[in-house]
Structure formats: structure tokens, C-alpha cells
């Protein structure tokens, strides 16, 4: 419909449907928000800023996006809702004008071994159809190229009713899948070292099984001893061939042990199901150590790690098999697909080209489709999720991004900004939680939360244009135009760490000397080989403390006190002062409130509706039994201590009656990393990404080691917090440590004593050292992308 009007005629009144151009939030109180009321313009790019912990995620993710998703879920039938995660209504008075929210967060993609970059983005699905149509020789449908579909066949008699008669017919079927039968589509095979499972010089009665949890008198061992298949007093080395087969590999069999019906199973399949099928990172340390000793992983010899059958690898298009295509760097694969010209599959080729070009546009051209999804960093995972939305036909959708610049070099951030604008220009509302000034600069609307973090935040300090933010006087406004100057005098190294012939992943026999006793920054575009060089050549171990970007694991029962080990000295101090045992002062042990089991809240499951959490009436949310709260230390009970902010607790345990040096040391480290405002008992699940990163850093600062390796410690940090981090890094170096930082933030680069720049590009275009020297030399030379951006940043 034309919206034009005749010359001289007045513009008609806008249609009532066109007046809903704001998302209104009134009285938001999620987490630390203090009755926040704002209006967010639709079809614009709005950036939410503020120090880490100020309430950005609480407002954007836990209020606006959560309510949108909850309302959409309620449109499904009760049956479907039963299979979906239930989301409680956010604590907010009014939410008006919401549209469908698509959340693109930094949660890692699933670590399932069959999940790859190709399967996560549906690119593999398009490639499978392409090879099933054009591949020579033709071997079958798209399933024949899928490493998640096994080849199966069967035959038998079926009974059918025909013309009033019952007729038996013989039927057979077969499905041709692409799954390698040896590794079952995983690409690697695991071999178990039997010598690590048992000691063959002992009998079962003497404790021959050495697997964690299999004690001599435990139930696991009693099943083996009482099964009747084995002699519990015979040394395993003396077993007959039949006994050894039963002991190690017998299929599940019903047995009766001590009058109880149980299932007997061989030791190897039992260990595989109970231990090896679990995520290694989630295991307890002693079980992880056992797995590392007992299991070896190697590329599958049958498929050479491609996960595919020989038939799937034999079908080719122009000499390229689907395995070759998935192993290519995506930028090369995009070029290969552009060279294909086949009218019969033209729409498919167009869609495939668009998806592969999106990878390159977004700065992920260095990946390959066979890359396991679980190995991607948080920033890479978020950008892979973006790929699925770039080609979407949906409009008038709210896209919510969580620091999309994470892990991106300044050069890549420019491309990311272009993609955010593209999504907005299609008529979508784009909400971005971000700290980087380069991303804040493209905002149509800025919402600044603060003024502080935790209980000192949770209010809107500024709302409006970018220019208005600069003059608003808020913490973000004051630091927005901060530019660190290049360090004039650099420290002198005390030694060097020689790296020779580094060739992990895309590194090309790199030789480099890493200076010790100074602050070294390893930089370069995303995918240039920084992490491969640092983590591959300087492995965590004796004398090396490595703080990577892996997520902190913890339930709502975990908090900074439990995660850092702080609760241990506190419990002991309480126990000693009151003459009772330490277990009483743990909400996860004997001291827990019996009504809520130490959770502080009582959860009521409402089936397909969102569950309700209500504060426990008996302990009033304090988590402990009333009798435990009568014990005091320094005039406080244990619940009052856990409610203290870190700074208050540091002063409390420093001297006087409550002096506890072990607790004070840990609290000092938490203050050092800028977590003074966090309370000791705050659940880990409520901490922001930046807070979790710093909590992990504080924990590792107590480790004994001369070399600290940090992987992007500025992730999730506000501009003001970066200064505090630089002070912490300086203190570490001045105390005699060597600090090696993988980083993109220009302020950290400018502050370094030595820079190692990798590149010049990503993937096979990177993997080389393109510069090593001082920041001043890098700015003066401007020979690399990093040098050009750093020179622009410092105004050189």
C-alpha cells in the first residue's frame, strides 16, 4: 500500500497498529534490579552498558527475554509444555510491547562427540543432499552420508488382511547410513588399559578391582564375588578363559546375591557406562585422574577420523568427497561451492553458498565443518549460533546478544558491527549487552546501569543517545573515551621460555622466545593460533598456573565461599570456637535446615506450568537449622557471615576475636580481582560472566607457580574494571611472577612489556609470528592489523 500523500494534503493519522513501537518495562526487580522502569525503542539497536554485576543481564535476559519466551511457551499444548524447560514469570510489574525473543548467548554448544560445527548450523544437512544428488558413484539418499545414521537391514514375515483373508508375506528392509561401524560416528576410538582396572596378582576378596568406588567390601565388588560366575578367592591371573570373559565382558545377566535380585555385567562395559560415558570436565578430580590413566583416545583407524563409512567417502564431486569437504577450511569450502554449477540443485547451492559466506563474514572462515562443537570458545559458539539467524526470513523479532565481541580482534569487531546493523535494518529489535566502546558506538539507543555492582547497582543511570552518554557523568560515560597510552619504560626480562617447532592446529613450526619476569601479551586476529601457541607450548603443570575460559561448574547450592575453599577455614573456626564438629556449619551437610534441605527455598513443581520457589518459612532463607544459628564466632552466626560482602568479611576476619588468617588470605584475593561487593553466600548461578571469570582468577592466584597464563581475562569486564585488572597484573609481575596473557583488548596491549602478534590472517592464513617486540615498536611499525588498530587506539 502506498503511504504517499497528495501535495498539500495533511499526513493521515498513523494506523493504531503502528503506534506500538516501544517495549515498556515497569518495576523490574529481578536479582539486584531496584524497581527499574525503562522504554526500549523497537526496530533499533539498543546497547546495555554498566560495570560487571550492575544488572544488565538481569534486565535484558532474566526479564525481557525470559518473559517473551515464557509467553510463547504458553501458546503450546500442555503436552508439549511438559517437554520444555519451565520458566517462572520474572519479578516485574508491567512488561508491554514484547515481541518474539531469540537469545544468542555465550553458552557453550553441546559437548556431544557427534555434534560438529556442520551439524550445529545445518550446513552438513545441505552438503549431504548435495552429495546424494551429484556424487559419483551414487550410493543412496542423504542418510548414506550422515555419520549419525547407522546402516541396518532386516527381514521377516508380516501378516496382512487382504480381501477378507489373512495373508503372510515375507518383507525385508535396509537403510544405508554413513556411520562408521568401528567408531559409531565419533571419529575416535577409546582403548581401555586393563592393567588400570584390576591387579591380576590379587583375588576379588583381596581387592583386585582398582576402579574408584569398587572397594573390597562394597556392593560393586560383592556382585562380582556373589554372582556364581567367579571364584572370589582365586587370583585373576589364574582365571580360565571362560572366567576372564565373564569377569570382563559378560552381557547383563540377572543374578541373586545375598537374596537380592541384581544385574551382573562384565567390568569393562560397566565402567564404560558408569564412568566413561560422562563428561570428563564434570568428574571429580580422582575419577578424572583414573580416566586419564586408564583410557587412550586415538583417531579411528577404519575411517581415519572422518566418522564416515568407506562408501560415503568413495562418492565424490569433482574429486572431492564429503569427508574432504568437511575437513576443508570453511573459506576454502565456500570457494569450492561457488565453482559448482548444476541447475538441478541451484536453490540448494544458493542456500549453501549463503551459509558458508556468512561464516566468512562473521570471522569464522578459519573453522572446518568437522570441528567438534564442544571445542569452540564462548565467543565462537555465539557467532556460530548467529549464522543460523543471518539468513532468517523472520522480521519484527527481538534478538538478544550477550557480549558478541568476546574473543574478537578489533579488526573482526568492525565486521560484527555490520552484522548487527543488518539484523536491525531488516526490521528487528536488537538488544546487546556490551562493554567494548567500538560496539557501543553503533548504538541507536544506550541504557547505562549502575552506578556500582551487586547491591550498589540495579538502577538506570542514563538512557538516551551515545552523545548524551559522553556528557552524562556516569562511570561508563567517563571511561568511554579512555585511551591507555603506550608504556614508555618496559621491564627487563629475567629469562626466556624457548618455544621451538610449535605445530599444534594451524601453527607453522613456530619458533619464538617468550620473555619471563615481565607482562607478555599474545595477540592476533581470531583463529590466528594464539591459544594453540600458549596452551600447546606452555601446558598447565609444574610451576604454570593456567586460567582458561572454561565455564565455572556449580549448582545453586554453590557460592563464592564454597568455590574458593573459603568455607573450610570458616567452618573450622566456628567449630573450634564452639566445641562442635565443622559439618554443622555446612548447609549441604549436617547443619542444613531439615525443611528446605539447606537450599533456603522450597520448590513446588507445578507439572507443565513453571515451578514456584518460595522462601523457606522455617529458616527464613538462611539455609541452616535453628540450633546451628545459636553458635557464634566473633559475635556473628554462620548465616550472617555468609551474607557479608567480601570487603566486610575481609575486615571481619583480619583481626580481633574473629581473626582467621587462612580465610583472610582468600578474601584478599577476591578484593584484588574486584569482587569486593559480592556476598560470600551468593549462588554461583546468579553471577555474571565477568564475575565468574574473576572468581576463577582469584582461586588460581593462590596456586604455587612462577608462570601465569591467562586467556582473555578482560572478558565481561567494564572499561573501569580493566584498569583494576591491569593493576593486578602489575602486582603479579612485580612479585616475581611471569604473566602471559592471550588478549585482544588494546588497553592491555598498550600496558604490556612485550607483544607477540600472530597472523597475518586466520586458519591456514595464520599460524606465524608476524611481530615480536615492545608496544611502542608495534605502533611505530604498523606492519600488522594489530599494529594499525593499536596505533589508532592510542592516537599515534
Amino acid at each position: 500500500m502506498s503511504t504517499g500523500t497528495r501535495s498539500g494534503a495533511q499526513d493521515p493519522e498513523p494506523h493504531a497498529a503502528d503506534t506500538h513501537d516501544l517495549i515498556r518495562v515497569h518495576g523490574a526487580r529481578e536479582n539486584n534490579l531496584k524497581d527499574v522502569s525503562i522504554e526500549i525503542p523497537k526496530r533499533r539497536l539498543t546497547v546495555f552498558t554498566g560495570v560487571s554485576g550492575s544488572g544488565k543481564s538481569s534486565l535484558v535476559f532474566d526479564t525481557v527475554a525470559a518473559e517473551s519466551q515464557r509467553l510463547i511457551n504458553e501458546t503450546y499444548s500442555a503436552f508439549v509444555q511438559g517437554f520444555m524447560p519451565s520458566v517462572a514469570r520474572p519479578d516485574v510489574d508491567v512488561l508491554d510491547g514484547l515481541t518474539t525473543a531469540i537469545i544468542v548467548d555465550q553458552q557453550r554448544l553441546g559437548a556431544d562427540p557427534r555434534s560438529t560445527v556442520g551439524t550445529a548450523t545445518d550446513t552438513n544437512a545441505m552438503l549431504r543432499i548435495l552429495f546424494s544428488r551429484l556424487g559419483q558413484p551414487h550410493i543412496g539418499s542423504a542418510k548414506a552420508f550422515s555419520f549419525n545414521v547407522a546402516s541396518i537391514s532386516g527381514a521377516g514375515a508380516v501378516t496382512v488382511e487382504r480381501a477378507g483373508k489373512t495373508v503372510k508375506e515375507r518383507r525385508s528392509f535396509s537403510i544405508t547410513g554413513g556411520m562408521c561401524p568401528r567408531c559409531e560416528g565419533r571419529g575416535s576410538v577409546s582403548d581401555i588399559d586393563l592393567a588400570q582396572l584390576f591387579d591380576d596378582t590379587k583375588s576379588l576378596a583381596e581387592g583386585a578391582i582398582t576402579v574408584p568406588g569398587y572397594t573390597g567390601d562394597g556392593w560393586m565388588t560383592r556382585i562380582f564375588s556373589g554372582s556364581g560366575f567367579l571364584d572370589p578367592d582365586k587370583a585373576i591371573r589364574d582365571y580360565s578363559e571362560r572366567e576372564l570373559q565373564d569377569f570382563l565382558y559378560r552381557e547383563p545377566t540377572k543374578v541373586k546375591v545375598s537374596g537380592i535380585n541384581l544385574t551382573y555385567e562384565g567390568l569393562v562395559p560397566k565402567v564404560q557406562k558408569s564412568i566413561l560415558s560422562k563428561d570428563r570436565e564434570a568428574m571429580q578430580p580422582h575419577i578424572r585422574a583414573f580416566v586419564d590413566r586408564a583410557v587412550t583416545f586415538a583417531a579411528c583407524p577404519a575411517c581415519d577420523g572422518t566418522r564416515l563409512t568407506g562408501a560415503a567417502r568413495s562418492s565424490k564431486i569433482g574429486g572431492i568427497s564429503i569427508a574432504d569437504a568437511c575437513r576443508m577450511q570453511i573459506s576454502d569450502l565456500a570457494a569450492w561451492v561457488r565453482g559448482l554449477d548444476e541447475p538441478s540443485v541451484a536453490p540448494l547451492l544458493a542456500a549453501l553458498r549463503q551459509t558458508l559466506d556468512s561464516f566468512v563474514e562473521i570471522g569464522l572462515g578459519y573453522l572446518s565443518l568437522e570441528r567438534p562443537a564442544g571445542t569452540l570458545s564462548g565467543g565462537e559458539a555465539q557467532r556460530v549460533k548467529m549464522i543460523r539467524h543471518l539468513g532468517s526470513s523472520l522480521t519484527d523479532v527481538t534478538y538478544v546478544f550477550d557480549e558478541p565481541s568476546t574473543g574478537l580482534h578489533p579488526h573482526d569487531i568492525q565486521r560484527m558491527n555490520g552484522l548487527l546493523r543488518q539484523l536491525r535494518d531488516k526490521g528487528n529489535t536488537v538488544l546487546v549487552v556490551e562493554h567494548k566502546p567500538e560496539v557501543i558506538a553503533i548504538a541507536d539507543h544506550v541504557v547505562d546501569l549502575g552506578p556500582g555492582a551487586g547491591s550498589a547497582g540495579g538502577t538506570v543511570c542514563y538512557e538516551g543517545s551515545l552523545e548524551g552518554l559522553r556528557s552524562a557523568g556516569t562511570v561508563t560515560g567517563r571511561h568511554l573515551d579512555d585511551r591507555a597510552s603506550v608504556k614508555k619504560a618496559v621491564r627487563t626480562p629475567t629469562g626466556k621460555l624457548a618455544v621451538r617447532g610449535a605445530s599444534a592446529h594451524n601453527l607453522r613450526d613456530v619458533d619464538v622466545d617468550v620473555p619471563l619476569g615481565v607482562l607478555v601479551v599474545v595477540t592476533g586476529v581470531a583463529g590466528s593460533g594464539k591459544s594453540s601457541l600458549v596452551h600447546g607450548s606452555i601446558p598447565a603443570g609444574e610451576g604454570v598456573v593456567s586460567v582458561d575460559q572454561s565455564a565455572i561448574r556449580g549448582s545453586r547450592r554453590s557460592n563464592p565461599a564454597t568455590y574458593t575453599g573459603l568455607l573450610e577455614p570458616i567452618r573450622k573456626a566456628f567449630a573450634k570456637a564452639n566445641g562442635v564438629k565443622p559439618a554443622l556449619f555446612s548447609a549441604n551437610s549436617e547443619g542444613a535446615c531439615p525443611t528446605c534441605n539447606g537450599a533456603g527455598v522450597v520448590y513446588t513443581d507445578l507439572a507443565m506450568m513453571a515451578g514456584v520457589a518460595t522462601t523457606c518459612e522455617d529458616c527464613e532463607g538462611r539455609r541452616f537449622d535453628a540450633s546451628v544459628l545459636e553458635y557464634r564466632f566473633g559475635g556473628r552466626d554462620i548465616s550472617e557471615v555468609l551474607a557479608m560482602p567480601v570487603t566486610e568479611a575481609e575486615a571481619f576476619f583480619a583481626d580481633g576475636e574473629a581473626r582467621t588468617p587462612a580465610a583472610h588470605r582468600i578474601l584478599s584475593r577476591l578484593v584484588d580481582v574486584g569482587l569486593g561487593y559480592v556476598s560470600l553466600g551468593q549462588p554461583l548461578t546468579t553471577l555474571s560472566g565477568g564475575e565468574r571469570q574473576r572468581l576463577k582468577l582469584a582461586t588460581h592466584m593462590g596456586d604455587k607457580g612462577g608462570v601465569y597464563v591467562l586467556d582473555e581475562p578482560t572478558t565481561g569486564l567494564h572499561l573501569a574494571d580493566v584498569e583494576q585488572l591491569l593493576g593486578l597484573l602489575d602486582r603479579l609481575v612485580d612479585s616475581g611472577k611471569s604473566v602471559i596473557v592471550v588478549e585482544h583488548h588494546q588497553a592491555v596491549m598498550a600496558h604490556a612489556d612485550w607483544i607477540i602478534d600472530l597472523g597475518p590472517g586466520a586458519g591456514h592464513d595464520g599460524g606465524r609470528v608476524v611481530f615480536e617486540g615492545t608496544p611502542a615498536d608495534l605502533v611505530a611499525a604498523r606492519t600488522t592489523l594489530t599494529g594499525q588498530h593499536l596505533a589508532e587506539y592510542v592516537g599515534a
Side-chain angles (χ1 to χ4, degrees):
M1 185 181 79
S2 172
T3 55
T5 56
R6 290 191 310 275
S7 176
Q10 290 188 338
D11 287 343
E13 285 293 312
H15 194 286
D18 297 329
T19 59
H20 303 283
D21 52 2
L22 293 172
I23 297 174
R24 296 180 181 85
V25 182
H26 292 285
R29 292 177 294 276
E30 273 297 307
N31 299 328
N32 66 331
L33 296 179
K34 296 170 182 171
D35 270 327
V36 166
S37 297
I38 62 164
E39 293 184 340
I40 304 166
K42 287 185 186 175
R43 295 176 286 281
R44 295 292 182 272
L45 177 61
T46 302
V47 175
F48 293 79
T49 66
V51 296
S52 183
S54 59
K56 303 182 299 297
S57 295
S58 299
L59 177 59
V60 179
F61 289 93
D62 301 341
T63 303
V64 176
E67 178 66 356
S68 172
Q69 294 211 314
R70 187 185 73 85
L71 292 171
I72 289 167
N73 288 358
E74 285 188 354
T75 64
Y76 300 119
S77 67
F79 174 76
V80 173
Q81 286 184 52
F83 294 98
M84 302 175 77
S86 57
V87 184
R89 188 184 188 281
D91 189 1
V92 59
D93 294 333
V94 179
L95 267 174
D96 187 32
L98 292 177
T99 66
T100 305
I102 295 176
I103 298 174
V104 189
D105 58 17
Q106 288 192 44
Q107 291 294 320
R108 299 291 175 102
L109 292 164
D112 187 286
R114 289 201 184 93
S115 179
T116 65
V117 169
T119 59
T121 56
D122 289 341
T123 315
N124 262 34
M126 290 188 274
L127 268 182
R128 290 198 298 269
I129 297 169
L130 184 68
F131 274 86
S132 70
R133 302 280 175 83
L134 302 183
Q136 292 297 328
H138 178 74
I139 61 165
S141 69
K143 290 180 181 175
F145 296 93
S146 171
F147 52 74
N148 287 324
V149 179
S151 294
I152 55 173
S153 60
V158 295
T159 304
V160 293
E161 291 282 341
R162 188 174 295 152
K165 294 179 182 177
T166 302
V167 182
K168 279 195 173 180
E169 293 183 357
R170 184 167 180 79
R171 297 271 177 89
S172 62
F173 74 94
S174 67
I175 295 174
T176 304
M179 179 191 289
C180 168
R182 171 76 190 275
C183 64
E184 296 183 335
R186 286 180 168 85
S188 64
V189 287
S190 58
D191 290 325
I192 295 179
D193 182 357
L194 297 180
Q196 297 292 340
L197 302 187
F198 58 84
D199 181 351
D200 65 356
T201 63
K202 295 180 180 177
S203 66
L204 289 171
E206 294 169 330
I209 302 178
T210 55
V211 179
Y214 287 70
T215 53
D217 56 350
W219 262 109
M220 295 293 196
T221 306
R222 284 170 67 185
I223 294 173
F224 282 98
S225 302
S227 64
F229 302 126
L230 311 169
D231 181 351
D233 299 312
K234 185 198 273 189
I236 292 176
R237 64 164 51 159
D238 298 330
Y239 279 2
S240 66
E241 196 172 318
R242 176 61 188 268
E243 284 177 316
L244 196 60
Q245 179 69 21
D246 285 341
F247 174 54
L248 292 176
Y249 303 109
R250 189 177 180 100
E251 295 288 320
T253 311
K254 296 288 183 190
V255 295
K256 187 168 273 194
V257 179
S258 304
I260 302 170
N261 290 323
L262 297 165
T263 300
Y264 174 92
E265 189 174 19
L267 182 62
V268 169
K270 191 179 270 290
V271 167
Q272 283 175 326
K273 287 176 186 172
S274 64
I275 296 178
L276 304 187
S277 62
K278 295 187 175 131
D279 179 12
R280 180 185 171 280
E281 294 304 315
M283 295 174 179
Q284 292 170 286
H286 69 289
I287 296 178
R288 193 183 308 155
F290 162 74
V291 170
D292 291 343
R293 282 197 316 271
V295 186
T296 56
F297 292 94
C300 173
C303 66
D304 191 27
T306 62
R307 309 159 181 256
L308 294 160
T309 59
R313 287 177 282 138
S314 68
S315 182
K316 299 184 177 182
I317 302 174
I320 300 290
S321 71
I322 191 168
D324 298 330
C326 290
R327 278 196 163 164
M328 280 185 194
Q329 185 168 301
I330 288 174
S331 55
D332 295 341
L333 179 61
W336 178 73
V337 170
R338 270 196 296 276
L340 297 178
D341 183 19
E342 182 58 52
S344 63
V345 287
L348 177 66
L349 283 171
L352 187 55
R353 285 185 197 115
Q354 184 180 6
T355 302
L356 294 173
D357 287 343
S358 295
F359 271 103
V360 179
E361 259 185 76
I362 212 165
L364 293 178
Y366 59 88
L367 296 178
S368 63
L369 294 182
E370 69 167 10
R371 170 89 174 260
T375 64
L376 298 177
S377 69
E380 286 172 334
Q382 180 167 223
R383 282 177 281 152
V384 163
K385 291 176 194 171
M386 278 184 76
I387 301 286
R388 304 194 64 160
H389 302 301
L390 288 174
S392 171
S393 305
L394 292 171
T395 60
D396 255 328
V397 176
T398 299
Y399 285 97
V400 187
F401 292 96
D402 184 10
E403 294 186 41
S405 66
T406 298
L408 287 184
H409 188 271
H411 172 69
D412 299 314
I413 290 177
Q414 293 175 351
R415 292 197 287 189
M416 169 63 70
N417 284 347
L419 295 169
L420 292 174
R421 285 194 184 105
Q422 269 183 40
L423 283 173
R424 176 201 63 192
D425 294 346
K426 281 173 63 177
N428 297 305
T429 305
V430 181
L431 309 182
V432 184
V433 173
E434 188 53 82
H435 293 293
K436 293 272 177 73
E438 299 98 317
V439 181
I440 299 172
I442 66 164
D444 301 311
H445 189 72
V446 180
V447 178
D448 189 22
L449 283 101
S455 58
T459 60
V460 175
C461 299
Y462 172 78
E463 193 182 349
S465 68
L466 177 67
E467 287 310 312
L469 176 66
R470 284 197 166 93
S471 56
T474 66
V475 175
T476 306
R478 288 198 303 272
H479 289 274
L480 195 60
D481 294 318
D482 278 5
R483 294 293 180 266
S485 55
V486 172
K487 191 185 283 187
K488 291 186 170 56
V490 295
R491 301 178 183 95
T492 306
T494 56
K496 66 179 182 182
L497 183 71
V499 176
R500 296 291 177 265
S503 56
H505 303 307
N506 66 328
L507 294 178
R508 301 190 178 185
D509 284 326
V510 169
D511 295 337
V512 65
D513 292 328
V514 181
L516 297 177
V518 295
L519 175 58
V520 178
V521 169
V522 180
T523 189
V525 295
S528 59
K530 303 180 298 297
S531 295
S532 301
L533 176 67
V534 172
H535 296 303
S537 307
I538 314 168
E542 197 61 40
V544 177
V545 178
S546 184
V547 185
D548 59 16
Q549 287 192 47
S550 59
I552 281 182
R553 294 184 180 273
S555 67
R556 55 177 173 246
R557 285 179 175 272
S558 305
N559 52 50
T562 58
Y563 183 80
T564 58
L566 170 66
L567 200 56
E568 194 65 25
I570 292 176
R571 280 201 303 254
K572 286 178 179 172
F574 265 92
K576 187 177 179 183
N578 293 282
V580 291
K581 53 185 178 180
L584 281 176
F585 302 100
S586 170
N588 297 326
S589 187
E590 294 181 30
C593 164
T595 307
C596 62
N597 294 322
V601 290
V602 177
Y603 292 92
T604 309
D605 185 14
L606 299 176
M608 83 287 294
M609 292 171 66
V612 177
T614 51
T615 303
C616 175
E617 292 180 1
D618 287 5
C619 68
E620 296 177 340
R622 288 181 291 192
R623 303 176 62 195
F624 291 90
D625 189 30
S627 61
V628 174
L629 298 178
E630 292 174 10
Y631 298 116
R632 294 189 165 261
F633 176 64
R636 306 279 186 109
D637 66 40
I638 184 68
S639 70
E640 289 171 337
V641 168
L642 290 177
M644 286 182 182
V646 167
T647 42
E648 187 183 333
E650 185 196 24
F652 178 73
F653 288 109
D655 47 37
E657 186 190 341
R659 185 172 180 273
T660 312
H664 185 257
R665 273 196 302 275
I666 297 171
L667 289 161
S668 298
R669 291 199 291 268
L670 288 170
V671 171
D672 270 351
V673 297
L675 290 177
Y677 60 90
V678 174
S679 65
L680 304 187
Q682 185 175 338
L684 282 190
T685 50
T686 65
L687 296 183
S688 69
E691 288 166 339
R692 293 184 193 197
Q693 173 98 339
R694 283 179 284 161
L695 182 61
K696 190 196 292 188
L697 178 58
T699 307
H700 285 291
M701 277 174 63
D703 297 349
K704 290 181 172 59
V707 179
Y708 277 74
V709 177
L710 310 179
D711 195 350
E712 295 192 38
T714 60
T715 300
L717 287 191
H718 186 267
L719 299 162
D721 297 324
V722 172
E723 289 180 21
Q724 188 168 4
L725 177 74
L726 292 175
L728 172 64
L729 297 180
D730 278 341
R731 287 197 296 278
L732 280 173
V733 175
D734 293 340
S735 68
K737 311 285 187 188
S738 300
V739 180
I740 301 166
V741 183
V742 176
E743 190 52 85
H744 293 294
H745 203 294
Q746 291 109 316
V748 182
M749 292 181 208
H751 199 74
D753 298 307
W754 193 259
I755 288 183
I756 297 172
D757 190 13
L758 280 95
H764 60 49
D765 297 325
R768 291 189 290 266
V769 174
V770 291
F771 175 85
E772 46 183 325
T774 64
D777 292 341
L778 178 62
V779 168
R782 300 194 192 199
T783 52
T784 68
L785 281 170
T786 306
Q788 291 160 20
H789 283 279
L790 184 59
E792 189 181 324
Y793 174 80
V794 298

